[in-house]
């Protein structure tokens, strides 16, 4: 290949290309992502130092869009690809248990790249949807049965512990008997393989002078932490509902 052609390849023109094809596009926290990476050789033989994969969350804070790399994976060792050669690399990676879930204000995607020294890295981006862990779903169902409905998922910065820049608060609106007692319920989840830790904040409604003063001073939230196991949810979601109802009532006393 000519010197000019090699120079173009270093700028990404006529260079190798990468295309990631996933088994599916929707996953739950803790799931395994499986797929194949297709590498197409360019106009010249090239040395690929590695194929890398970034798991990225795009979110907004104070009106600014930010990209946060949750995890990064090195999928191959160094290899060479010949002109116009196609190579396929199957892969699988584990999603973290605490992977942020997809919401209206958050996007999750995989960015695949070829690390080629002295050249622009070819990349490919694939959006995916992350749903809550099944244990989180179970607790949300119990809370709904207790008289609340999910109204949204908010970002909380510097409020709860997280290895990420934020945590996600599940906002629950009261229905029925709790409508006159609670403004909102906030839930933060820390799922594990067989149990989920929950922080629940009960935002009490102002019903007298004391609670009105607490609300004015932002002291109207009561926090409680509890754990729900997979065994509990499988045995009786009604029992979990009763337990959560009692915890809410305790915060209203």
């Amino acid at each position: 290949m000519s010197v000019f052609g090699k120079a173009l390849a270093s700028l990404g023109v006529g260079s190798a290309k990468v295309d990631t094809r996933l088994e599916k596009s929707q996953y739950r926290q803790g799931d395994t992502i499986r797929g194949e990476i297709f590498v197409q050789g360019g106009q010249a033989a090239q040395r690929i130092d590695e194929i890398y994969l970034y798991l990225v969350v795009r979110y907004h804070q104070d009106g600014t869009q930010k990209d946060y790399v949750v995890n990064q994976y090195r999928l191959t060792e160094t290899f060479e690809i010949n002109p116009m050669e196609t190579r396929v690399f199957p892969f699988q990676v584990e999603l973290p248990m605490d992977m942020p879930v997809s919401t209206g204000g958050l996007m999750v995607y995989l960015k695949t790249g070829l690390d080629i020294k002295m050249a622009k890295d070819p990349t490919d981006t694939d959006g995916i949807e992350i749903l809550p862990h099944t244990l989180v779903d179970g607790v949300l169902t119990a809370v709904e049965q207790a008289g609340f409905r999910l109204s949204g998922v908010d970002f909380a910065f510097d409020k709860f512990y997280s290895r990420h820049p934020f945590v996600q608060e599940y906002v629950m609106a009261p229905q029925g008997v709790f409508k006159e007692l609670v403004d909102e319920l906030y839930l933060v989840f820390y799922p594990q393989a067989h149990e989920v830790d929950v922080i629940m904040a009960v935002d009490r409604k102002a019903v007298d002078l004391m609670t009105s003063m607490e609300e004015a001073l932002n002291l109207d939230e009561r926090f409680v932490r509890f754990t729900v196991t997979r065994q509990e949810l499988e045995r009786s979601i009604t029992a979990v509902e009763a337990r959560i109802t009692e915890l809410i009532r305790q915060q209203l006393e």
Side-chain angles (χ1 to χ4, degrees):
M1 188 178 186
S2 68
V3 173
F4 181 68
K6 291 180 179 178
L8 287 178
S10 71
L11 297 173
V13 180
S15 179
K17 293 180 172 56
V18 61
D19 179 30
T20 300
R21 302 175 191 178
L22 302 176
E23 182 180 60
K24 56 183 181 178
S25 61
Q26 189 180 81
Y27 302 88
R28 289 191 180 273
Q29 293 170 309
D31 276 357
T32 299
I33 297 178
R34 295 181 177 87
E36 294 180 327
I37 296 172
F38 289 73
V39 181
Q40 175 70 54
Q43 297 178 13
Q46 288 183 298
R47 171 176 166 150
I48 314 295
D49 286 333
E50 66 174 349
I51 299 177
Y52 59 82
L53 186 69
Y54 290 163
L55 178 60
V56 186
V57 166
R58 177 169 293 168
Y59 65 100
H60 291 82
Q61 182 179 9
D62 299 327
T64 302
Q65 179 178 285
K66 299 184 178 183
D67 282 355
Y68 160 62
V69 178
V70 179
N71 271 350
Q72 60 185 67
Y73 313 88
R74 185 183 185 192
L75 302 182
T76 64
E77 300 295 332
T78 299
F79 66 96
E80 288 196 4
I81 189 161
N82 295 318
M84 308 311 295
E85 178 188 5
T86 298
R87 296 187 63 177
V88 182
F89 299 88
F91 75 93
Q92 65 178 47
V93 296
E94 303 293 326
L95 280 172
M97 286 288 185
D98 62 348
M99 182 68 200
V101 302
S102 301
T103 69
L106 181 143
M107 171 186 171
V108 181
Y109 65 91
L110 290 169
K111 179 180 178 180
T112 314
L114 304 180
D115 184 5
I116 307 175
K117 287 184 179 178
M118 306 298 292
K120 181 179 178 181
D121 285 0
T123 60
D124 181 44
T125 300
D126 298 271
I128 58 175
E129 182 181 6
I130 306 298
L131 302 177
H133 193 280
T134 53
L135 294 178
V136 174
D137 262 354
V139 174
L140 289 173
T141 299
V143 174
E144 286 184 345
Q145 292 181 184
F148 294 83
R149 65 172 178 81
L150 181 65
S151 62
V153 181
D154 290 342
F155 297 115
F157 301 93
D158 302 321
K159 186 175 179 181
F160 301 101
Y161 166 76
S162 176
R163 69 186 181 96
H164 307 311
F166 56 83
V167 297
Q168 291 178 299
E169 287 184 312
Y170 292 71
V171 184
M172 311 293 293
Q175 310 292 304
V177 64
F178 285 112
K179 201 166 185 178
E180 304 302 319
L181 301 171
V182 177
D183 280 329
E184 286 179 317
L185 205 66
Y186 302 94
L187 301 169
V188 175
F189 296 99
Y190 299 91
Q192 302 170 53
H194 301 293
E195 63 184 29
V196 55
D197 290 329
V198 187
I199 296 177
M200 181 170 67
V202 182
D203 188 1
R204 304 189 302 171
K205 188 179 288 290
V207 295
D208 52 30
L209 179 59
M210 179 61 72
T211 53
S212 295
M213 291 176 62
E214 288 180 343
E215 188 174 67
L217 296 171
N218 293 322
L219 300 174
D220 52 332
E221 287 188 353
R222 295 291 185 269
F223 293 87
V224 60
R225 184 165 189 158
F226 59 97
T227 299
V228 179
T229 66
R230 183 181 299 278
Q231 186 178 28
E232 287 178 287
L233 286 168
E234 290 176 349
R235 184 169 58 237
S236 173
I237 199 164
T238 302
V240 176
E241 170 201 339
R243 179 182 166 204
I244 291 173
T245 300
E246 178 59 26
L247 287 171
I248 294 171
R249 293 192 181 281
Q250 290 174 7
Q251 310 316 307
L252 297 173
E253 293 176 355

